[in-house]
Amino acid sequence: MNKKLQEKIFRTLLEFESQGDILEEKEIITLGCMANGSTTELQKKVLTTLDLEKSLTEYSLDEINSNSSILADKGLIKINRVSTTTNKHYLELIGSLVDLDDFMDEM
């Protein structure tokens, strides 16, 4: 448990939320028995621990994931756990549940 890292994660999430909804284009692949196809659609971008790993280079993905989970367990942020086919596990940080003052009081 690294309180300094938890504060960095929370502050980064608040900064991301302050930018408003960010939309990104995603390719949706449809598999069919006769033909495959794909379409693109706009989806709301979500901050992930993979994004945090790029900006918080002094910490590993495992450290970021575990400290993000601690914040979620305390009820400070909302997360979604994601696994990929390459056995890489990461978290989507859906949103903050408290403001910065309440966060600092909890710490």
Side-chain angles (χ1 to χ4, degrees):
M1 186 163 95
N2 185 337
K3 292 191 182 284
K4 185 177 178 182
L5 175 58
Q6 290 176 15
E7 184 177 345
K8 286 181 181 182
I9 292 168
F10 190 78
R11 286 183 184 272
T12 304
L13 179 58
L14 287 180
E15 183 180 316
F16 182 80
E17 289 178 334
S18 71
Q19 297 174 9
D21 288 347
I22 300 171
L23 299 177
E24 65 182 353
E25 217 173 78
K26 293 258 182 165
E27 183 177 17
I28 309 299
I29 298 174
T30 307
L31 301 175
C33 59
M34 299 300 277
N36 298 331
S38 68
T39 59
T40 57
E41 65 181 44
L42 290 176
Q43 291 183 345
K44 181 181 171 187
K45 179 162 176 40
V46 177
L47 184 66
T48 67
T49 52
L50 295 174
D51 299 329
L52 291 174
E53 181 185 30
K54 293 174 189 170
S55 63
L56 304 173
T57 56
E58 64 271 18
Y59 302 103
S60 71
L61 181 61
D62 289 336
E63 288 176 302
I64 295 169
N65 283 341
S66 64
N67 281 281
S68 297
S69 294
I70 291 169
L71 291 175
D73 292 343
K74 289 181 179 179
L76 301 172
I77 65 173
K78 185 175 180 182
I79 62 170
N80 182 30
R81 298 181 199 307
V82 179
S83 295
T84 64
T85 55
T86 58
N87 265 349
K88 192 167 193 174
H89 306 286
Y90 66 94
L91 303 173
E92 292 178 336
L93 307 180
I94 307 299
S96 60
L97 300 175
V98 297
D99 62 9
L100 186 58
D101 292 333
D102 291 339
F103 174 80
M104 295 310 280
D105 290 342
E106 281 289 322
M107 298 306 280

